[in-house]
Amino acid sequence: MKTAGWRSALIYGCAVALCQPLAACGSADAPSASTNDKAAAPARTAAIPADAPLVIAFGDSLYAGYQLGPKEGLAPQLQAALAEDGVVARVQNAGVSGDTSAAGLQRLSYVLDNAKTKPALVVLGLGGNDMLRGIGPEQTRANLDAMLAELKKRKIPVLLTGMMAAPNLGSDYANAFNPIYPELAGKYDVNFYPFILDGVIADKSLMLGDDLHPNAKGVTVIAEALAPLVGEALPDGE
């Protein structure tokens, strides 16, 4: 874990302590229109060929673009960041606000089975809502393990994005929760980004008013950090 990630996680813990009643990291019926506490993301669009490699961004509200406009969420911004790096790929949003790891496991096969083509990569990020709800880390680990096993069985490469336990949950919870992501990344030999909110959670100008979700500019930071890892993980990536 990068040092900056740990500092960000400490601030994240303070935010979670204040917002614990949310207990869901967003809701499925949250508004998608932009609000005044979000800075507009740069307008970055590029024509993507129909046969471009498919990347599925599979996660919760941090992936789904909670309270953001249609071009401001992780999938469109990651696709644009890849294009700026000269990597042509189509990024599909499969983020659902409020999803726990258990909910993600239930819908993973459906998403994969109904994709227009076999994904060249799945960017996987779940577990934040488990942590907010105090779900046992052993359940989170088992669900993520099952998802990674399914993706391995289908021979689909993965980029796993990690989450960290809020310090207010105590050291016992953190000691059980925080190792889940690096250990599973090692077990399945997948690409790994340790903390999805690294470099964002500590900067209020990059967060929504709830101090839990990134605004459009915050998503830009995340997308630009993930883009090189995604590019390397795609076929013919370096």
Side-chain angles (χ1 to χ4, degrees):
M1 174 65 67
K2 294 178 288 185
T3 302
W6 286 102
R7 289 199 299 266
S8 297
L10 291 174
I11 296 172
Y12 177 58
C14 296
V16 171
L18 293 172
C19 302
Q20 193 71 29
L22 291 176
C25 201
S27 62
D29 57 355
S32 60
S34 295
T35 59
N36 291 334
D37 63 350
K38 300 183 293 294
R44 301 179 299 170
T45 59
I48 303 297
D51 61 350
L54 174 64
V55 176
I56 293 181
F58 190 90
D60 51 30
S61 58
L62 299 178
Y63 278 48
Y66 175 71
Q67 290 193 347
L68 301 180
K71 295 183 179 180
E72 296 175 337
L74 181 61
Q77 291 217 52
L78 179 55
Q79 179 173 298
L82 288 167
E84 289 184 353
D85 290 345
V87 178
V88 179
R90 184 176 303 279
V91 183
Q92 176 182 326
N93 177 19
V96 174
S97 293
D99 254 14
T100 60
S101 62
L105 176 59
Q106 289 177 347
R107 68 183 176 92
L108 177 62
S109 291
Y110 177 84
V111 170
L112 297 175
D113 290 342
N114 287 275
K116 291 184 178 180
T117 185
K118 181 179 177 178
L121 179 72
V122 168
V123 185
L124 175 64
L126 286 160
N129 288 315
D130 299 44
M131 182 265 295
L132 286 175
R133 295 175 179 182
I135 293 172
E138 69 283 355
Q139 297 181 44
T140 304
R141 180 185 288 271
N143 292 329
L144 287 168
D145 194 313
M147 283 184 271
L148 288 165
E150 178 65 22
L151 290 163
K152 181 178 180 180
K153 183 178 74 174
R154 294 176 183 243
K155 299 182 179 179
I156 299 173
V158 178
L159 168 58
L160 179 65
T161 63
M163 179 52 65
M164 297 185 68
N168 64 293
L169 294 175
S171 59
D172 288 345
Y173 190 94
N175 289 339
F177 184 89
N178 291 344
I180 291 173
Y181 298 89
E183 290 178 1
L184 288 179
K187 176 180 178 179
Y188 287 95
D189 192 25
V190 298
N191 292 283
F192 180 49
Y193 188 74
F195 183 41
I196 186 65
L197 292 172
D198 191 17
V200 176
I201 191 73
D203 187 341
K204 281 188 171 292
S205 72
L206 300 177
M207 298 294 292
L208 294 179
D210 62 8
D211 291 325
L212 286 175
H213 298 88
N215 61 26
K217 281 189 174 180
V219 175
T220 300
V221 173
I222 295 170
E224 290 179 348
L226 292 178
L229 298 176
V230 172
E232 291 172 5
L234 286 171
D236 302 323
E238 298 179 358

